[in-house]
Amino acid sequence: MEIWINPACSKCRSAISLLDAEGAEYTVRRYLEDVPDEDEIREVLERLGLEPWDITRTQEAVAGELGLGEWPRDAGARDRWIAALAAHPKLIQRPVITADDGTAVVARTEDAVRDALSRRGRPSSTPL
């Protein structure tokens, strides 16, 4: 399991505290320093079952500078959104936990963190 965090974020610190309290094994990725590229963002979006605009922090100053509020939210604009997230990782909602079963969650609540924890050890597919 991997968790994308910003150490200055209280929700990230809470998620880490809960993971530690539950004895979870995980890797921390400080995504503002170790910035995910567009392919990694696409993979996480697929695991989340979400679109890039669903995980974009639209209240960030850079979002206003880019005019994200005016960008279309459709398949034709998807790559543009992903490129913006890769270029400006502060726009990525946090924390994101990639679970062991191949899924991911935006872990802003204790329930979401517990959801990720419940997926520990589950394979993403059943062997034949």
Side-chain angles (χ1 to χ4, degrees), residues 3 10-20 95 97 107 113:
I3 182 169
S10 63
K11 299 225 183 259
C12 292
R13 292 191 307 270
S14 294
I16 292 285
S17 292
L18 182 54
L19 291 174
D20 288 344
I97 298 176
V113 176

Side-chain angles (χ1 to χ4, degrees), residues 59-81:
Q59 302 305 313
E60 291 290 335
V62 69
E65 293 166 15
L66 294 171
L68 290 182
E70 306 302 316
W71 289 15
R73 296 178 179 212
D74 59 28
R78 190 172 198 272
D79 287 342
R80 183 179 181 197
W81 282 86

Side-chain angles (χ1 to χ4, degrees), residues 15-94:
I16 292 285
S17 292
L18 182 54
L19 291 174
D20 288 344
E22 294 294 326
E25 292 183 23
Y26 61 92
T27 302
V28 170
R29 180 173 186 168
R30 293 178 180 215
Y31 73 97
L32 297 178
E33 299 163 17
D34 182 8
V35 179
D37 63 26
E38 291 182 26
D39 287 338
E40 289 174 299
I41 293 169
R42 280 185 188 89
E43 179 185 341
V44 163
L45 287 167
E46 184 175 322
R47 292 174 80 163
L48 288 166
L50 297 173
E51 293 296 339
W53 46 86
D54 296 327
I55 66 162
T56 299
R57 297 172 53 85
T58 57
Q59 302 305 313
E60 291 290 335
V62 69
E65 293 166 15
L66 294 171
L68 290 182
E70 306 302 316
W71 289 15
R73 296 178 179 212
D74 59 28
R78 190 172 198 272
D79 287 342
R80 183 179 181 197
W81 282 86
I82 291 169
L85 293 174
H88 306 280
K90 192 171 189 177
L91 291 172
I92 300 171
Q93 193 61 258
R94 61 188 184 250

